[in-house]
Amino acid sequence: MTLEIKYRPALKSDLKFLLDLRMQTMNPHLIASDLPVSDEAHLQRIEYQFGHATIIEINKCAIGLLKVHRQANNIELIQIQVAPSYQGNGIGTRILNDLIKEAIESKKSITLSVLKTNQAKNLYLSVGFKIVGETDDSYLMLFEKASI
């Protein structure tokens, strides 16, 4: 059975869910990168580009966050987080493949940044992203149709 993934705009009333989700999905990577894990630091990241945030739902149950900024020639994947209890079911791969399909059809690239300590980097590589740069703690990644 294929799970139906739906999206809805994130609301301020979702902040508690988003804070819990971020702590569950990001704290291990942030701690390993020696980056802050305070509620304030998490809320700052949650509120960044909040107008582009959508809640990922399955059966009307919030299970994640997708934050994407669509620009003229590029789709910036700002954040993607799936609750740990839903990880390993191909949900992240399906979301990324849908984004890749959109990018190919609209002739856009996709960019993202991932912490070096975050194993999600392997997922991005597996669907066709390439590492094109790095900072002290993150890899900068790019998907272009030509790179498939």
Side-chain angles (χ1 to χ4, degrees), residues 82-126:
V82 174
S85 59
Y86 285 87
Q87 290 177 9
N89 295 309
I91 294 169
T93 302
R94 281 183 35 210
I95 293 167
L96 288 171
N97 283 335
D98 288 347
L99 207 54
I100 287 167
K101 183 175 183 237
E102 175 188 337
I104 291 169
E105 288 172 357
S106 60
K107 297 179 172 47
K108 294 181 181 184
S109 57
I110 306 172
T111 53
L112 63 85
S113 171
V114 62
L115 288 172
K116 291 178 178 177
T117 56
N118 190 335
Q119 293 304 304
K121 169 192 62 149
N122 297 327
L123 171 60
Y124 301 135
L125 290 169
S126 75

CSV table of all heavy atoms in Angstrom, one decimal, residues 82-126:
chain,number,residue,atom,x,y,z
A,82,VAL,N,11.4,14.6,8.3
A,82,VAL,CA,10.4,13.6,8.5
A,82,VAL,C,10.5,13.0,9.9
A,82,VAL,O,11.6,12.6,10.3
A,82,VAL,CB,10.5,12.5,7.4
A,82,VAL,CG1,9.5,11.3,7.6
A,82,VAL,CG2,10.3,13.1,6.0
A,83,ALA,N,9.4,12.9,10.6
A,83,ALA,CA,9.5,12.3,12.0
A,83,ALA,C,10.2,11.0,12.0
A,83,ALA,O,9.9,10.1,11.1
A,83,ALA,CB,8.0,12.2,12.5
A,84,PRO,N,11.0,10.7,13.0
A,84,PRO,CA,11.7,9.4,13.0
A,84,PRO,C,10.8,8.2,12.9
A,84,PRO,O,11.2,7.2,12.2
A,84,PRO,CB,12.4,9.5,14.4
A,84,PRO,CG,12.6,10.9,14.7
A,84,PRO,CD,11.4,11.6,14.1
A,85,SER,N,9.6,8.2,13.4
A,85,SER,CA,8.8,7.0,13.3
A,85,SER,C,8.3,6.8,11.9
A,85,SER,O,7.8,5.7,11.6
A,85,SER,CB,7.6,7.2,14.3
A,85,SER,OG,6.8,8.3,13.9
A,86,TYR,N,8.4,7.7,11.0
A,86,TYR,CA,8.1,7.6,9.6
A,86,TYR,C,9.3,7.4,8.7
A,86,TYR,O,9.1,7.2,7.5
A,86,TYR,CB,7.2,8.8,9.1
A,86,TYR,CG,5.8,8.7,9.6
A,86,TYR,CD1,5.5,9.2,10.9
A,86,TYR,CD2,4.8,8.1,8.9
A,86,TYR,CE1,4.2,9.2,11.4
A,86,TYR,CE2,3.5,8.0,9.4
A,86,TYR,CZ,3.2,8.5,10.6
A,86,TYR,OH,1.9,8.5,11.1
A,87,GLN,N,10.5,7.6,9.2
A,87,GLN,CA,11.7,7.4,8.4
A,87,GLN,C,11.9,6.0,8.0
A,87,GLN,O,11.4,5.1,8.7
A,87,GLN,CB,12.9,8.0,9.2
A,87,GLN,CG,12.9,9.5,9.3
A,87,GLN,CD,14.0,10.0,10.1
A,87,GLN,OE1,15.0,9.3,10.5
A,87,GLN,NE2,14.0,11.3,10.5
A,88,GLY,N,12.6,5.8,6.9
A,88,GLY,CA,12.8,4.4,6.4
A,88,GLY,C,11.7,3.8,5.6
A,88,GLY,O,11.8,2.6,5.3
A,89,ASN,N,10.7,4.6,5.3
A,89,ASN,CA,9.6,4.1,4.5
A,89,ASN,C,9.5,4.7,3.1
A,89,ASN,O,8.5,4.5,2.4
A,89,ASN,CB,8.2,4.4,5.2
A,89,ASN,CG,8.1,3.7,6.5
A,89,ASN,OD1,8.3,2.5,6.6
A,89,ASN,ND2,7.8,4.5,7.6
A,90,GLY,N,10.6,5.3,2.7
A,90,GLY,CA,10.7,5.9,1.4
A,90,GLY,C,10.0,7.3,1.2
A,90,GLY,O,9.9,7.8,0.1
A,91,ILE,N,9.5,7.8,2.3
A,91,ILE,CA,8.8,9.1,2.2
A,91,ILE,C,9.7,10.2,1.7
A,91,ILE,O,9.4,11.0,0.8
A,91,ILE,CB,8.2,9.5,3.6
A,91,ILE,CG1,7.1,8.4,3.9
A,91,ILE,CG2,7.6,10.9,3.5
A,91,ILE,CD1,6.5,8.5,5.3
A,92,GLY,N,10.9,10.3,2.3
A,92,GLY,CA,11.9,11.3,1.9
A,92,GLY,C,12.3,11.2,0.5
A,92,GLY,O,12.3,12.2,-0.3
A,93,THR,N,12.5,10.0,0.1
A,93,THR,CA,12.9,9.7,-1.3
A,93,THR,C,11.7,10.1,-2.3
A,93,THR,O,12.0,10.8,-3.3
A,93,THR,CB,13.2,8.2,-1.5
A,93,THR,OG1,14.3,7.8,-0.7
A,93,THR,CG2,13.6,7.9,-3.0
A,94,ARG,N,10.5,9.8,-1.9
A,94,ARG,CA,9.4,10.2,-2.8
A,94,ARG,C,9.2,11.7,-2.9
A,94,ARG,O,9.0,12.2,-4.0
A,94,ARG,CB,8.1,9.6,-2.2
A,94,ARG,CG,7.9,8.1,-2.6
A,94,ARG,CD,6.7,7.4,-2.2
A,94,ARG,NE,5.5,8.2,-2.2
A,94,ARG,CZ,4.5,8.0,-1.4
A,94,ARG,NH1,4.5,7.0,-0.5
A,94,ARG,NH2,3.4,8.7,-1.4
A,95,ILE,N,9.4,12.4,-1.8
A,95,ILE,CA,9.3,13.9,-1.8
A,95,ILE,C,10.4,14.4,-2.6
A,95,ILE,O,10.2,15.3,-3.5
A,95,ILE,CB,9.4,14.4,-0.3
A,95,ILE,CG1,8.1,14.0,0.4
A,95,ILE,CG2,9.5,15.9,-0.3
A,95,ILE,CD1,8.2,14.2,1.9
A,96,LEU,N,11.6,13.9,-2.5
A,96,LEU,CA,12.8,14.4,-3.3
A,96,LEU,C,12.5,14.1,-4.8
A,96,LEU,O,12.8,15.0,-5.6
A,96,LEU,CB,14.1,13.8,-2.8
A,96,LEU,CG,14.6,14.3,-1.5
A,96,LEU,CD1,15.8,13.5,-1.0
A,96,LEU,CD2,15.0,15.8,-1.5
A,97,ASN,N,12.1,12.9,-5.1
A,97,ASN,CA,11.8,12.6,-6.5
A,97,ASN,C,10.7,13.5,-7.1
A,97,ASN,O,10.8,13.9,-8.3
A,97,ASN,CB,11.5,11.1,-6.6
A,97,ASN,CG,12.7,10.2,-6.5
A,97,ASN,OD1,13.8,10.7,-6.8
A,97,ASN,ND2,12.5,9.0,-6.1
A,98,ASP,N,9.7,13.8,-6.3
A,98,ASP,CA,8.7,14.7,-6.8
A,98,ASP,C,9.3,16.1,-7.1
A,98,ASP,O,9.0,16.8,-8.1
A,98,ASP,CB,7.5,14.9,-5.8
A,98,ASP,CG,6.6,13.6,-5.7
A,98,ASP,OD1,6.8,12.8,-6.6
A,98,ASP,OD2,5.9,13.5,-4.8
A,99,LEU,N,10.2,16.6,-6.2
A,99,LEU,CA,10.8,17.9,-6.3
A,99,LEU,C,11.7,17.8,-7.6
A,99,LEU,O,11.8,18.8,-8.4
A,99,LEU,CB,11.6,18.2,-5.1
A,99,LEU,CG,11.8,19.7,-4.8
A,99,LEU,CD1,10.6,20.4,-4.7
A,99,LEU,CD2,12.6,19.8,-3.4
A,100,ILE,N,12.4,16.7,-7.8
A,100,ILE,CA,13.3,16.6,-8.9
A,100,ILE,C,12.5,16.6,-10.2
A,100,ILE,O,12.9,17.2,-11.2
A,100,ILE,CB,14.2,15.3,-8.8
A,100,ILE,CG1,15.2,15.5,-7.8
A,100,ILE,CG2,14.7,14.9,-10.2
A,100,ILE,CD1,15.9,14.2,-7.3
A,101,LYS,N,11.3,15.9,-10.2
A,101,LYS,CA,10.5,15.9,-11.4
A,101,LYS,C,10.0,17.3,-11.7
A,101,LYS,O,10.0,17.8,-12.9
A,101,LYS,CB,9.3,15.0,-11.1
A,101,LYS,CG,8.3,14.8,-12.3
A,101,LYS,CD,7.2,13.8,-12.0
A,101,LYS,CE,6.3,13.7,-13.2
A,101,LYS,NZ,4.9,13.9,-12.9
A,102,GLU,N,9.6,18.1,-10.7
A,102,GLU,CA,9.2,19.5,-10.9
A,102,GLU,C,10.4,20.3,-11.4
A,102,GLU,O,10.2,21.1,-12.4
A,102,GLU,CB,8.8,20.0,-9.5
A,102,GLU,CG,8.5,21.5,-9.6
A,102,GLU,CD,8.2,22.2,-8.2
A,102,GLU,OE1,7.9,21.4,-7.2
A,102,GLU,OE2,8.4,23.4,-8.1
A,103,ALA,N,11.6,20.1,-10.9
A,103,ALA,CA,12.7,20.8,-11.4
A,103,ALA,C,13.0,20.5,-12.9
A,103,ALA,O,13.3,21.4,-13.7
A,103,ALA,CB,14.0,20.5,-10.5
A,104,ILE,N,13.0,19.3,-13.2
A,104,ILE,CA,13.2,18.9,-14.6
A,104,ILE,C,12.2,19.5,-15.6
A,104,ILE,O,12.5,20.1,-16.6
A,104,ILE,CB,13.3,17.3,-14.8
A,104,ILE,CG1,14.6,16.8,-14.0
A,104,ILE,CG2,13.3,16.9,-16.2
A,104,ILE,CD1,14.6,15.3,-13.9
A,105,GLU,N,10.9,19.3,-15.2
A,105,GLU,CA,9.8,19.9,-16.0
A,105,GLU,C,9.9,21.4,-16.1
A,105,GLU,O,9.5,21.9,-17.2
A,105,GLU,CB,8.5,19.4,-15.4
A,105,GLU,CG,8.2,18.0,-15.6
A,105,GLU,CD,6.9,17.4,-14.9
A,105,GLU,OE1,6.3,18.2,-14.2
A,105,GLU,OE2,6.6,16.3,-15.1
A,106,SER,N,10.3,22.1,-15.1
A,106,SER,CA,10.4,23.5,-15.2
A,106,SER,C,11.8,24.0,-15.5
A,106,SER,O,12.1,25.2,-15.5
A,106,SER,CB,10.0,24.1,-13.8
A,106,SER,OG,10.8,23.7,-12.8
A,107,LYS,N,12.7,23.1,-15.9
A,107,LYS,CA,14.1,23.4,-16.3
A,107,LYS,C,14.8,24.2,-15.2
A,107,LYS,O,15.5,25.2,-15.5
A,107,LYS,CB,14.1,24.1,-17.6
A,107,LYS,CG,13.5,23.3,-18.8
A,107,LYS,CD,13.5,24.0,-20.1
A,107,LYS,CE,13.2,23.1,-21.3
A,107,LYS,NZ,12.0,22.3,-21.2
A,108,LYS,N,14.7,23.8,-14.0
A,108,LYS,CA,15.3,24.5,-12.8
A,108,LYS,C,16.3,23.5,-12.2
A,108,LYS,O,16.2,22.3,-12.3
A,108,LYS,CB,14.3,24.9,-11.8
A,108,LYS,CG,13.4,26.0,-12.3
A,108,LYS,CD,12.4,26.4,-11.2
A,108,LYS,CE,11.4,27.4,-11.7
A,108,LYS,NZ,10.5,27.9,-10.6
A,109,SER,N,17.3,24.1,-11.5
A,109,SER,CA,18.2,23.3,-10.6
A,109,SER,C,17.6,23.2,-9.2
A,109,SER,O,16.6,24.0,-8.9
A,109,SER,CB,19.6,23.9,-10.6
A,109,SER,OG,19.5,25.2,-10.2
A,110,ILE,N,18.1,22.4,-8.4
A,110,ILE,CA,17.8,22.4,-6.9
A,110,ILE,C,19.1,22.5,-6.1
A,110,ILE,O,20.0,21.8,-6.4
A,110,ILE,CB,17.1,21.1,-6.5
A,110,ILE,CG1,15.9,20.7,-7.4
A,110,ILE,CG2,16.6,21.1,-5.1
A,110,ILE,CD1,15.3,19.3,-7.2
A,111,THR,N,19.0,23.4,-5.1
A,111,THR,CA,20.2,23.5,-4.3
A,111,THR,C,19.7,23.2,-2.8
A,111,THR,O,18.6,23.4,-2.5
A,111,THR,CB,20.8,25.0,-4.3
A,111,THR,OG1,19.8,25.9,-4.1
A,111,THR,CG2,21.4,25.2,-5.7
A,112,LEU,N,20.7,22.8,-2.0
A,112,LEU,CA,20.4,22.5,-0.6
A,112,LEU,C,21.8,22.6,0.1
A,112,LEU,O,22.8,22.5,-0.5
A,112,LEU,CB,19.7,21.2,-0.4
A,112,LEU,CG,20.4,19.9,-0.8
A,112,LEU,CD1,21.3,19.4,0.3
A,112,LEU,CD2,19.4,18.9,-1.1
A,113,SER,N,21.6,22.6,1.4
A,113,SER,CA,22.8,22.6,2.3
A,113,SER,C,22.5,21.5,3.4
A,113,SER,O,21.4,21.4,3.9
A,113,SER,CB,23.0,23.9,3.0
A,113,SER,OG,24.0,23.8,4.0
A,114,VAL,N,23.4,20.6,3.7
A,114,VAL,CA,23.2,19.5,4.6
A,114,VAL,C,24.4,19.5,5.5
A,114,VAL,O,25.6,19.6,5.1
A,114,VAL,CB,22.9,18.2,3.9
A,114,VAL,CG1,24.1,17.7,3.1
A,114,VAL,CG2,22.6,17.1,5.0
A,115,LEU,N,24.2,19.3,6.8
A,115,LEU,CA,25.3,19.2,7.8
A,115,LEU,C,26.1,18.0,7.4
A,115,LEU,O,25.6,16.9,7.0
A,115,LEU,CB,24.7,19.0,9.2
A,115,LEU,CG,24.1,20.2,9.9
A,115,LEU,CD1,23.5,19.9,11.2
A,115,LEU,CD2,25.2,21.3,10.1
A,116,LYS,N,27.4,18.1,7.6
A,116,LYS,CA,28.3,17.0,7.2
A,116,LYS,C,28.1,15.8,8.1
A,116,LYS,O,28.3,14.7,7.7
A,116,LYS,CB,29.8,17.5,7.4
A,116,LYS,CG,30.2,18.5,6.4
A,116,LYS,CD,31.6,18.9,6.6
A,116,LYS,CE,32.1,19.9,5.5
A,116,LYS,NZ,33.4,20.4,5.7
A,117,THR,N,27.5,16.0,9.3
A,117,THR,CA,27.2,14.9,10.2
A,117,THR,C,25.9,14.2,10.0
A,117,THR,O,25.6,13.3,10.6
A,117,THR,CB,27.3,15.4,11.7
A,117,THR,OG1,26.3,16.5,11.8
A,117,THR,CG2,28.6,15.9,12.1
A,118,ASN,N,25.1,14.8,9.0
A,118,ASN,CA,23.8,14.3,8.8
A,118,ASN,C,23.8,13.2,7.6
A,118,ASN,O,24.2,13.5,6.5
A,118,ASN,CB,22.8,15.4,8.4
A,118,ASN,CG,21.4,15.0,8.3
A,118,ASN,OD1,21.0,13.9,8.1
A,118,ASN,ND2,20.5,16.0,8.5
A,119,GLN,N,23.4,12.0,8.0
A,119,GLN,CA,23.4,10.9,7.0
A,119,GLN,C,22.4,11.2,5.8
A,119,GLN,O,22.5,10.4,4.8
A,119,GLN,CB,23.1,9.6,7.7
A,119,GLN,CG,24.2,9.1,8.6
A,119,GLN,CD,25.5,9.0,7.9
A,119,GLN,OE1,25.7,8.3,6.9
A,119,GLN,NE2,26.5,9.8,8.4
A,120,ALA,N,21.5,12.2,5.9
A,120,ALA,CA,20.7,12.5,4.8
A,120,ALA,C,21.5,12.8,3.5
A,120,ALA,O,21.0,12.7,2.4
A,120,ALA,CB,19.8,13.7,5.2
A,121,LYS,N,22.7,13.2,3.7
A,121,LYS,CA,23.6,13.5,2.6
A,121,LYS,C,23.6,12.3,1.6
A,121,LYS,O,23.6,12.4,0.4
A,121,LYS,CB,25.0,13.8,3.1
A,121,LYS,CG,26.1,13.8,2.0
A,121,LYS,CD,27.5,13.8,2.5
A,121,LYS,CE,27.7,12.6,3.3
A,121,LYS,NZ,29.0,12.0,3.4
A,122,ASN,N,23.6,11.1,2.2
A,122,ASN,CA,23.6,9.8,1.4
A,122,ASN,C,22.3,9.7,0.6
A,122,ASN,O,22.4,9.3,-0.6
A,122,ASN,CB,23.8,8.6,2.2
A,122,ASN,CG,25.2,8.6,2.9
A,122,ASN,OD1,26.1,9.2,2.4
A,122,ASN,ND2,25.2,8.1,4.1
A,123,LEU,N,21.2,10.1,1.1
A,123,LEU,CA,19.9,10.1,0.4
A,123,LEU,C,20.0,11.1,-0.8
A,123,LEU,O,19.6,10.7,-1.9
A,123,LEU,CB,18.8,10.5,1.4
A,123,LEU,CG,17.4,10.7,0.7
A,123,LEU,CD1,16.9,9.5,0.0
A,123,LEU,CD2,16.4,11.2,1.8
A,124,TYR,N,20.5,12.3,-0.5
A,124,TYR,CA,20.6,13.3,-1.6
A,124,TYR,C,21.5,12.8,-2.7
A,124,TYR,O,21.2,12.9,-3.9
A,124,TYR,CB,21.1,14.6,-1.0
A,124,TYR,CG,20.3,15.2,0.1
A,124,TYR,CD1,20.8,15.7,1.2
A,124,TYR,CD2,18.9,15.2,-0.1
A,124,TYR,CE1,20.0,16.3,2.2
A,124,TYR,CE2,18.1,15.8,0.9
A,124,TYR,CZ,18.7,16.3,2.1
A,124,TYR,OH,17.9,16.8,3.1
A,125,LEU,N,22.6,12.2,-2.3
A,125,LEU,CA,23.5,11.6,-3.4
A,125,LEU,C,22.8,10.5,-4.2
A,125,LEU,O,23.0,10.4,-5.4
A,125,LEU,CB,24.8,11.1,-2.7
A,125,LEU,CG,25.8,12.1,-2.1
A,125,LEU,CD1,26.9,11.5,-1.3
A,125,LEU,CD2,26.4,13.0,-3.2
A,126,SER,N,22.1,9.7,-3.5
A,126,SER,CA,21.4,8.6,-4.1
A,126,SER,C,20.4,9.0,-5.2
A,126,SER,O,20.1,8.2,-6.1
A,126,SER,CB,20.8,7.6,-3.1
A,126,SER,OG,19.6,8.1,-2.6
